[in-house]
């Protein structure tokens, strides 16, 4: 290709500002229009006649009156008295120099818009080849390629998204990326190119934790407004087609999805129905059995927000071990926990509905009973001294603190951890994230804080342990918003440990964390820094100046304060500067009223659907 | 007896002569518009006058040289540059003002009797362009002759530009075809013979007091925009006749001499002193409005208000068009060094 083919001439490199190999200004030619984020290419000749090309993106543009000295001269210029010309200049951040001779371009060199092969060079798409998948549209309507090898753990992994709630629409962008990963065929292409070491799209799984509203419970439903919104966007931006078409993605909802929700607390007859308001059909409730609770060492996740003292940590570890042993000794099947050493009548708190199976043996069936049992073992037995093997020399104060905390979360966890299930029920309601469907949405928005932490912690650890066992053959994407809550910078917690494990070792196991938070400065540094792809939406300007955002050049940090919904700054290792993209309106419904009406669905059916029968 | 009063000349002291000189005028002055010596109010600019050009020129001697030609003749000369240019604007403010014809030309003026070829300076850096000097013979071998030649050429170009851009002025009572559609404001006094265009010269300073004492007091009384009646003027020892009138551009501050905002305007006049072309009267009528709009402010221009806003812009554009004098001199030196085979 010869230089400048198809690329519109935009101007010439300025000689009145410093020209450096990484940053330079150019004067915009009359009639040309240059805005932020335009991608440009400059060719310069070395004295020996060899050519060096500079690819870059415009990160600043300015206009001013040239040849006038006083600011009030603008009145005279507009009045037609004072001749002046408008100088229009743009600053370019160089993203790539090819070949890598870091000489400055020459003032006067032509600047052209990057198109075709030049555009691929500017965005390093030539390095990505089959691993490129669309991550949104550039300002001029061309798709931004993202390198999947930096997502799936091969060269790097994890995606981190920052932005103010509501405006940055972090979850929307995470979902769009998932859609793009699953539907662009990039997983299959990379799997093929890698000789089949990974399973491709078919093996790909995604787990999404829905933390806000019931936004994500309709991902499998088409969005009734997407056509209209995309047509609007196409007209407003002057694109040649809708944004899905431009990126080669289907405008369709997610396929092969399951929706999990916690059971509604206090349902009659202890029935297990999902705790959702807008969608009932197709939502599976999930519970953990009391047996699993002990067997799988879930106790620490009950205290995940506690930080806590060393002593309590010691008690937790000890009780966790005791419960594990106890679960090991269970002879009978079932969800409950049989204990023989509980003299209920000696308990200070005697729970209701205790199931005495044999003489002296108690079958613990609720979380409440479990706490009462622990209370008995630690504080009541042996005339208030507790069982020596359980107490292990801890002071009463510590033990009481432990029980008090358990009592504190009892209300939240009782519906989730149950011992009164039949074996069939336990199987049916056990959350199965990696077995069946491609996409699992775990709705935790109705849960209280501690219960949310518990669910996320337990499920993530299970995923992690599963992947440790079976390797990275299938890539699992975990979408989790509010990372600052689960992995705060300053405090430790079991769930933070799991997230750290995923961040640091997950990529080699095929677990990819697509994490989001309002403020990256409040998230554990190692989690953010392990993300190869970083995305920023609208930021608070004070937040944007924190060191976590140093990967953004200064001009981008300033702009992060004015980004509109649907616009993101994407930084990836292949391209030294972040790139601004906009991404399409979701093709999947994000609310009940966005669900496209099914043709042929009767009024009654719709009504039933609405009322949640 | 009135008390002594001292008031300031508004222009900076380093400008020779200041704004006010007040030497006596030796020549003829005739009332041609009206015998009634009183202020004339400005009239609005008519719609059909759609273009006003402000024309100026500038020159610079870049280097004095000693030339030895191939025949062995030797003499003095000089590298010089000059620019003439115009600002084209709409007197109604409906278009942005723009610079036109601002281009530097370069001369190698040399003493008579020498054979000189065009001189071309090629830059070392191809991005910076070449400089082309056209040879031109001076009238004498006087050391100042190259400078005078340069000035002459510049003034001639300036005149050509001024008159080419302006409406024609009919100089007989029968000829009323030409209307005032385009006017040229030329900086400084009119220096050449009449070329027929509607060109008004703006004289910023008052070195000569043309008016007799009993009439001069009107200059102090003019209000901004007002003018004096038009006079027909003929120098004692010059063939050129012209019309003159005075316009006030702004109020004089209390500490300035009372003629500080006043400017003299000139137009070419036919020799016979009884015909005032209607276009001249029209130009005089609109000059108050026009020049008040173009007048500069003291904090922006040391020669305010007489140095007009477009003139100042034109001056700086012309200076820029000639390039940096230091760079040109250095290029000349480097070029000569290369020609002589000296490694610079």
């Amino acid at each position: 290709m010869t230089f400048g083919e198809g690329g519109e001439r935009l101007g010439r490199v300025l000689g009145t500002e410093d020209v450096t190999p990484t940053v330079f200004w150019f004067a915009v030619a009359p009639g040309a229009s240059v805005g932020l984020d335009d991608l440009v290419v400059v060719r310069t000749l070395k004295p020996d006649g060899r050519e060096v090309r500079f690819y870059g993106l415009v990160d600043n543009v300015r206009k001013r009156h040239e040849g006038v000295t006083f600011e009030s001269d603008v009145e005279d210029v507009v009045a037609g008295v004072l001749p002046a010309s408008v100088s229009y200049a743009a600053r370019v951040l160089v993203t790539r120099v090819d070949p890598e001779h870091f000489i400055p371009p020459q003032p006067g060199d032509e600047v052209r818009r990057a198109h075709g092969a030049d555009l691929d060079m500017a965005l390093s798409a030539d390095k990505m080849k089959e691993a490129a998948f669309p991550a949104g549209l550039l300002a001029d309507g061309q798709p931004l390629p993202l390198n999947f090898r930096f997502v799936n753990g091969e060269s790097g992994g994890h995606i981190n998204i920052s932005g103010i709630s509501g405006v940055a629409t972090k979850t929307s962008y995470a979902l769009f990326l998932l859609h793009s990963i699953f539907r662009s065929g990039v997983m299959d292409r990379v799997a093929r190119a890698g000789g089949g070491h990974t399973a491709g799209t078919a093996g790909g799984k995604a787990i999404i934790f829905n933390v806000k509203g019931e936004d994500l419970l309709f991902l499998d439903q088409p969005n009734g407004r997407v056509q209209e919104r995309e047509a609007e966007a196409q007209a407003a931006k002057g694109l040649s087609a809708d944004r899905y078409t431009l990126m080669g993605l289907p405008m369709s909802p997610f396929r092969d999805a399951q929706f999990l929700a916690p059971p509604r607390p206090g349902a009659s007859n202890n029935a297990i129905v999902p705790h959702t308001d807008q969608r009932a059909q197709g939502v599976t409730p999930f519970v953990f059995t009391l047996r699993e609770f002990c067997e799988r060492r879930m106790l620490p996740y009950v205290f995940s927000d506690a930080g806590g003292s060393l002593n309590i940590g010691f008690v937790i570890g000890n009780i966790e071990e005791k419960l594990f042993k106890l679960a090991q000794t269970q002879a009978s099947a079932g969800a409950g926990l049989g204990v023989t050493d509980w003299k209920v009548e000696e308990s200070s708190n005697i729970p209701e509905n205790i199931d005495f199976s044999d003489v002296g043996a108690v079958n613990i069936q609720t979380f409440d009973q479990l706490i009462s049992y622990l209370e008995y073992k630690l504080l009541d037995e042996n005339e208030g001294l507790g069982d020596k093997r359980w107490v292990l020399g801890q002071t009463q104060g510590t033990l009481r603190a432990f029980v008090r905390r358990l009592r504190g979360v009892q209300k939240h966890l009782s519906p989730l951890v149950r011992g009164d299930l039949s074996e069939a029920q336990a199987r049916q309601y056990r959350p199965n994230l990696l077995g069946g469907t491609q996409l699992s949405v775990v709705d935790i928005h109705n849960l209280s804080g501690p219960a949310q932490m518990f669910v996320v912690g337990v499920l993530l650890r299970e995923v992690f342990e599963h992947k440790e066992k079976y390797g990275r053959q299938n890539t699992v994407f975990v979408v989790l918003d509010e990372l600052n809550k689960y992995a705060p910078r300053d405090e430790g917690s079991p769930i933070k440990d799991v997230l750290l494990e995923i961040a640091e070792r997950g990529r080699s196991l095929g677990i990819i964390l697509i994490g989001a938070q309002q403020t990256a400065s409040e998230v554990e540094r190692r989690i953010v820094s392990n993300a190869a792809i970083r995305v920023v939406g609208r930021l608070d300007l004070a937040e944007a100046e924190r060191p976590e955002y140093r990967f953004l050049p200064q001009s981008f940090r300033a702009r992060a304060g004015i980004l509109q919904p649907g616009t993101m700054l994407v930084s990836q290792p292949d391209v030294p500067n972040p790139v601004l993209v906009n991404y399409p309106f979701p093709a999947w419904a994000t609310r009940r009223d966005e669900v496209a009406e099914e043709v042929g669905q009767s009024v009654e059916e719709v009504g039933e659907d609405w009322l949640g029968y | 007896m009135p008390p002594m009063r001292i008031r300031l000349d508004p222009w900076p002291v380093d400008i020779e002569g200041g704004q006010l000189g007040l030497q006596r005028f030796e020549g003829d002055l005739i009332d041609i518009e009206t015998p009634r010596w009183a202020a004339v109010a400005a009239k609005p600019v008519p719609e059909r006058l759609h273009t006003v050009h402000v024309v100026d020129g500038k020159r610079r001697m870049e280097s004095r040289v000693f030339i030895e030609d191939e025949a062995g003749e030797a003499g003095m000369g000089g590298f010089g540059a000059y620019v003439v240019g115009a600002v084209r604007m709409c007197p109604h403010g409906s278009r942005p003002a723009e610079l036109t014809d601002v281009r530097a030309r370069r001369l190698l003026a040399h003493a008579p009797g020498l054979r000189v070829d065009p001189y071309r300076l090629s830059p070392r850096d191809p991005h910076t362009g070449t400089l082309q000097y056209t040879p031109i013979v001076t009238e004498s071998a006087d050391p100042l002759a190259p400078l005078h030649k340069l000035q002459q050429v510049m003034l001639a170009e300036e005149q050509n530009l001024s008159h080419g851009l302006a409406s024609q002025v009919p100089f007989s009572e029968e000829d009323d075809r030409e209307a005032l559609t385009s006017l040229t404001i030329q900086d400084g006094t009119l220096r050449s013979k009449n070329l027929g265009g509607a060109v008004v010269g703006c004289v910023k300073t008052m070195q000569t007091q043309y008016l007799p004492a009993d009439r001069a007091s009107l200059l102090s009384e003019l209000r901004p925009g007002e003018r004096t009646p038009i006079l027909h003027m003929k120098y004692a020892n010059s063939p050129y006749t012209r019309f003159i009138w005075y316009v006030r551009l702004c109020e004089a501050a209390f500490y300035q001499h009372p003629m500080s905002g006043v400017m003299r305007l000139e137009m070419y006049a036919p020799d016979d002193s009884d015909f005032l072309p209607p276009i001249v009267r029209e130009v005089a009528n609109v000059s108050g409005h026009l020049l008040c709009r173009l007048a500069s402010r003291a904090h922006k221009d040391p020669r305010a208000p007489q140095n007009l806003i477009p003139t100042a812009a034109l001056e700086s554009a012309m200076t820029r068009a000639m390039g940096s004098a230091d760079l040109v001199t250095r290029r000349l030196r480097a070029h000569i060094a290369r020609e002589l085979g000296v490694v610079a």
Side-chain angles (χ1 to χ4, degrees), chain A residues 196-210:
Chain A
H197 289 301
T198 49
T201 309
K205 297 263 185 285
I207 300 162
I208 305 173
F209 290 96
N210 177 40

mmCIF file with all atom_site columns, all heavy atoms in Angstrom, chain A residues 196-210:
data_model
loop_
_atom_site.group_PDB
_atom_site.id
_atom_site.type_symbol
_atom_site.label_atom_id
_atom_site.label_alt_id
_atom_site.label_comp_id
_atom_site.label_asym_id
_atom_site.label_entity_id
_atom_site.label_seq_id
_atom_site.pdbx_PDB_ins_code
_atom_site.Cartn_x
_atom_site.Cartn_y
_atom_site.Cartn_z
_atom_site.occupancy
_atom_site.B_iso_or_equiv
_atom_site.pdbx_formal_charge
_atom_site.auth_seq_id
_atom_site.auth_comp_id
_atom_site.auth_asym_id
_atom_site.auth_atom_id
_atom_site.pdbx_PDB_model_num
ATOM 1  N N   . GLY A 1 196 ? -6.229  -26.246 19.726 1.00 0.00 ? 196 GLY A N   1
ATOM 2  C CA  . GLY A 1 196 ? -7.291  -26.908 20.479 1.00 0.00 ? 196 GLY A CA  1
ATOM 3  C C   . GLY A 1 196 ? -7.005  -27.111 21.953 1.00 0.00 ? 196 GLY A C   1
ATOM 4  O O   . GLY A 1 196 ? -7.594  -27.977 22.592 1.00 0.00 ? 196 GLY A O   1
ATOM 5  N N   . HIS A 1 197 ? -6.092  -26.327 22.500 1.00 0.00 ? 197 HIS A N   1
ATOM 6  C CA  . HIS A 1 197 ? -5.837  -26.490 23.926 1.00 0.00 ? 197 HIS A CA  1
ATOM 7  C C   . HIS A 1 197 ? -6.961  -25.919 24.778 1.00 0.00 ? 197 HIS A C   1
ATOM 8  O O   . HIS A 1 197 ? -7.108  -26.268 25.932 1.00 0.00 ? 197 HIS A O   1
ATOM 9  C CB  . HIS A 1 197 ? -4.513  -25.817 24.310 1.00 0.00 ? 197 HIS A CB  1
ATOM 10 C CG  . HIS A 1 197 ? -3.341  -26.566 23.772 1.00 0.00 ? 197 HIS A CG  1
ATOM 11 N ND1 . HIS A 1 197 ? -3.091  -27.874 24.094 1.00 0.00 ? 197 HIS A ND1 1
ATOM 12 C CD2 . HIS A 1 197 ? -2.376  -26.204 22.902 1.00 0.00 ? 197 HIS A CD2 1
ATOM 13 C CE1 . HIS A 1 197 ? -2.015  -28.289 23.453 1.00 0.00 ? 197 HIS A CE1 1
ATOM 14 N NE2 . HIS A 1 197 ? -1.558  -27.294 22.712 1.00 0.00 ? 197 HIS A NE2 1
ATOM 15 N N   . THR A 1 198 ? -7.689  -25.012 24.210 1.00 0.00 ? 198 THR A N   1
ATOM 16 C CA  . THR A 1 198 ? -8.865  -24.526 24.922 1.00 0.00 ? 198 THR A CA  1
ATOM 17 C C   . THR A 1 198 ? -10.089 -24.892 24.112 1.00 0.00 ? 198 THR A C   1
ATOM 18 O O   . THR A 1 198 ? -10.004 -25.207 22.929 1.00 0.00 ? 198 THR A O   1
ATOM 19 C CB  . THR A 1 198 ? -8.817  -22.999 25.101 1.00 0.00 ? 198 THR A CB  1
ATOM 20 O OG1 . THR A 1 198 ? -8.523  -22.407 23.850 1.00 0.00 ? 198 THR A OG1 1
ATOM 21 C CG2 . THR A 1 198 ? -7.774  -22.596 26.106 1.00 0.00 ? 198 THR A CG2 1
ATOM 22 N N   . ALA A 1 199 ? -11.224 -24.820 24.765 1.00 0.00 ? 199 ALA A N   1
ATOM 23 C CA  . ALA A 1 199 ? -12.410 -25.416 24.176 1.00 0.00 ? 199 ALA A CA  1
ATOM 24 C C   . ALA A 1 199 ? -13.147 -24.487 23.227 1.00 0.00 ? 199 ALA A C   1
ATOM 25 O O   . ALA A 1 199 ? -14.037 -24.904 22.514 1.00 0.00 ? 199 ALA A O   1
ATOM 26 C CB  . ALA A 1 199 ? -13.350 -25.867 25.278 1.00 0.00 ? 199 ALA A CB  1
ATOM 27 N N   . GLY A 1 200 ? -12.805 -23.225 23.210 1.00 0.00 ? 200 GLY A N   1
ATOM 28 C CA  . GLY A 1 200 ? -13.538 -22.309 22.339 1.00 0.00 ? 200 GLY A CA  1
ATOM 29 C C   . GLY A 1 200 ? -14.848 -21.878 22.958 1.00 0.00 ? 200 GLY A C   1
ATOM 30 O O   . GLY A 1 200 ? -15.088 -22.057 24.148 1.00 0.00 ? 200 GLY A O   1
ATOM 31 N N   . THR A 1 201 ? -15.710 -21.328 22.103 1.00 0.00 ? 201 THR A N   1
ATOM 32 C CA  . THR A 1 201 ? -16.957 -20.753 22.605 1.00 0.00 ? 201 THR A CA  1
ATOM 33 C C   . THR A 1 201 ? -17.788 -21.792 23.351 1.00 0.00 ? 201 THR A C   1
ATOM 34 O O   . THR A 1 201 ? -18.392 -21.505 24.380 1.00 0.00 ? 201 THR A O   1
ATOM 35 C CB  . THR A 1 201 ? -17.778 -20.194 21.438 1.00 0.00 ? 201 THR A CB  1
ATOM 36 O OG1 . THR A 1 201 ? -16.938 -19.343 20.669 1.00 0.00 ? 201 THR A OG1 1
ATOM 37 C CG2 . THR A 1 201 ? -18.954 -19.388 21.958 1.00 0.00 ? 201 THR A CG2 1
ATOM 38 N N   . ALA A 1 202 ? -17.796 -23.021 22.834 1.00 0.00 ? 202 ALA A N   1
ATOM 39 C CA  . ALA A 1 202 ? -18.639 -24.047 23.433 1.00 0.00 ? 202 ALA A CA  1
ATOM 40 C C   . ALA A 1 202 ? -18.269 -24.292 24.892 1.00 0.00 ? 202 ALA A C   1
ATOM 41 O O   . ALA A 1 202 ? -19.124 -24.597 25.724 1.00 0.00 ? 202 ALA A O   1
ATOM 42 C CB  . ALA A 1 202 ? -18.521 -25.334 22.629 1.00 0.00 ? 202 ALA A CB  1
ATOM 43 N N   . GLY A 1 203 ? -17.000 -24.165 25.204 1.00 0.00 ? 203 GLY A N   1
ATOM 44 C CA  . GLY A 1 203 ? -16.579 -24.426 26.572 1.00 0.00 ? 203 GLY A CA  1
ATOM 45 C C   . GLY A 1 203 ? -16.609 -23.187 27.441 1.00 0.00 ? 203 GLY A C   1
ATOM 46 O O   . GLY A 1 203 ? -16.358 -23.266 28.636 1.00 0.00 ? 203 GLY A O   1
ATOM 47 N N   . GLY A 1 204 ? -16.871 -22.062 26.843 1.00 0.00 ? 204 GLY A N   1
ATOM 48 C CA  . GLY A 1 204 ? -16.832 -20.820 27.605 1.00 0.00 ? 204 GLY A CA  1
ATOM 49 C C   . GLY A 1 204 ? -18.030 -20.691 28.515 1.00 0.00 ? 204 GLY A C   1
ATOM 50 O O   . GLY A 1 204 ? -19.148 -21.040 28.162 1.00 0.00 ? 204 GLY A O   1
ATOM 51 N N   . LYS A 1 205 ? -17.793 -20.227 29.702 1.00 0.00 ? 205 LYS A N   1
ATOM 52 C CA  . LYS A 1 205 ? -18.874 -20.044 30.674 1.00 0.00 ? 205 LYS A CA  1
ATOM 53 C C   . LYS A 1 205 ? -18.762 -18.633 31.248 1.00 0.00 ? 205 LYS A C   1
ATOM 54 O O   . LYS A 1 205 ? -17.670 -18.077 31.322 1.00 0.00 ? 205 LYS A O   1
ATOM 55 C CB  . LYS A 1 205 ? -18.729 -21.027 31.829 1.00 0.00 ? 205 LYS A CB  1
ATOM 56 C CG  . LYS A 1 205 ? -18.848 -22.481 31.408 1.00 0.00 ? 205 LYS A CG  1
ATOM 57 C CD  . LYS A 1 205 ? -20.253 -22.974 31.636 1.00 0.00 ? 205 LYS A CD  1
ATOM 58 C CE  . LYS A 1 205 ? -20.360 -24.455 31.326 1.00 0.00 ? 205 LYS A CE  1
ATOM 59 N NZ  . LYS A 1 205 ? -20.372 -24.739 29.883 1.00 0.00 ? 205 LYS A NZ  1
ATOM 60 N N   . ALA A 1 206 ? -19.904 -18.139 31.658 1.00 0.00 ? 206 ALA A N   1
ATOM 61 C CA  . ALA A 1 206 ? -19.856 -16.848 32.330 1.00 0.00 ? 206 ALA A CA  1
ATOM 62 C C   . ALA A 1 206 ? -20.754 -16.866 33.546 1.00 0.00 ? 206 ALA A C   1
ATOM 63 O O   . ALA A 1 206 ? -21.835 -17.452 33.519 1.00 0.00 ? 206 ALA A O   1
ATOM 64 C CB  . ALA A 1 206 ? -20.294 -15.741 31.377 1.00 0.00 ? 206 ALA A CB  1
ATOM 65 N N   . ILE A 1 207 ? -20.267 -16.274 34.599 1.00 0.00 ? 207 ILE A N   1
ATOM 66 C CA  . ILE A 1 207 ? -21.057 -16.164 35.822 1.00 0.00 ? 207 ILE A CA  1
ATOM 67 C C   . ILE A 1 207 ? -21.192 -14.677 36.126 1.00 0.00 ? 207 ILE A C   1
ATOM 68 O O   . ILE A 1 207 ? -20.199 -13.966 36.220 1.00 0.00 ? 207 ILE A O   1
ATOM 69 C CB  . ILE A 1 207 ? -20.351 -16.856 36.999 1.00 0.00 ? 207 ILE A CB  1
ATOM 70 C CG1 . ILE A 1 207 ? -20.144 -18.332 36.674 1.00 0.00 ? 207 ILE A CG1 1
ATOM 71 C CG2 . ILE A 1 207 ? -21.141 -16.681 38.280 1.00 0.00 ? 207 ILE A CG2 1
ATOM 72 C CD1 . ILE A 1 207 ? -19.110 -18.985 37.536 1.00 0.00 ? 207 ILE A CD1 1
ATOM 73 N N   . ILE A 1 208 ? -22.428 -14.233 36.213 1.00 0.00 ? 208 ILE A N   1
ATOM 74 C CA  . ILE A 1 208 ? -22.654 -12.820 36.467 1.00 0.00 ? 208 ILE A CA  1
ATOM 75 C C   . ILE A 1 208 ? -23.387 -12.674 37.787 1.00 0.00 ? 208 ILE A C   1
ATOM 76 O O   . ILE A 1 208 ? -24.424 -13.309 38.004 1.00 0.00 ? 208 ILE A O   1
ATOM 77 C CB  . ILE A 1 208 ? -23.510 -12.195 35.344 1.00 0.00 ? 208 ILE A CB  1
ATOM 78 C CG1 . ILE A 1 208 ? -22.853 -12.450 33.989 1.00 0.00 ? 208 ILE A CG1 1
ATOM 79 C CG2 . ILE A 1 208 ? -23.690 -10.710 35.577 1.00 0.00 ? 208 ILE A CG2 1
ATOM 80 C CD1 . ILE A 1 208 ? -23.699 -12.019 32.829 1.00 0.00 ? 208 ILE A CD1 1
ATOM 81 N N   . PHE A 1 209 ? -22.833 -11.872 38.656 1.00 0.00 ? 209 PHE A N   1
ATOM 82 C CA  . PHE A 1 209 ? -23.536 -11.588 39.901 1.00 0.00 ? 209 PHE A CA  1
ATOM 83 C C   . PHE A 1 209 ? -24.352 -10.327 39.715 1.00 0.00 ? 209 PHE A C   1
ATOM 84 O O   . PHE A 1 209 ? -23.817 -9.263  39.398 1.00 0.00 ? 209 PHE A O   1
ATOM 85 C CB  . PHE A 1 209 ? -22.542 -11.426 41.050 1.00 0.00 ? 209 PHE A CB  1
ATOM 86 C CG  . PHE A 1 209 ? -21.898 -12.719 41.435 1.00 0.00 ? 209 PHE A CG  1
ATOM 87 C CD1 . PHE A 1 209 ? -20.663 -13.074 40.930 1.00 0.00 ? 209 PHE A CD1 1
ATOM 88 C CD2 . PHE A 1 209 ? -22.556 -13.597 42.281 1.00 0.00 ? 209 PHE A CD2 1
ATOM 89 C CE1 . PHE A 1 209 ? -20.076 -14.276 41.266 1.00 0.00 ? 209 PHE A CE1 1
ATOM 90 C CE2 . PHE A 1 209 ? -21.973 -14.809 42.627 1.00 0.00 ? 209 PHE A CE2 1
ATOM 91 C CZ  . PHE A 1 209 ? -20.728 -15.154 42.118 1.00 0.00 ? 209 PHE A CZ  1
ATOM 92 N N   . ASN A 1 210 ? -25.641 -10.458 39.878 1.00 0.00 ? 210 ASN A N   1
ATOM 93 C CA  . ASN A 1 210 ? -26.522 -9.299  39.700 1.00 0.00 ? 210 ASN A CA  1
ATOM 94 C C   . ASN A 1 210 ? -26.704 -8.619  41.052 1.00 0.00 ? 210 ASN A C   1
ATOM 95 O O   . ASN A 1 210 ? -27.360 -9.136  41.941 1.00 0.00 ? 210 ASN A O   1
ATOM 96 C CB  . ASN A 1 210 ? -27.868 -9.766  39.159 1.00 0.00 ? 210 ASN A CB  1
ATOM 97 C CG  . ASN A 1 210 ? -28.830 -8.616  39.018 1.00 0.00 ? 210 ASN A CG  1
ATOM 98 O OD1 . ASN A 1 210 ? -28.432 -7.536  38.606 1.00 0.00 ? 210 ASN A OD1 1
ATOM 99 N ND2 . ASN A 1 210 ? -30.080 -8.831  39.377 1.00 0.00 ? 210 ASN A ND2 1
#
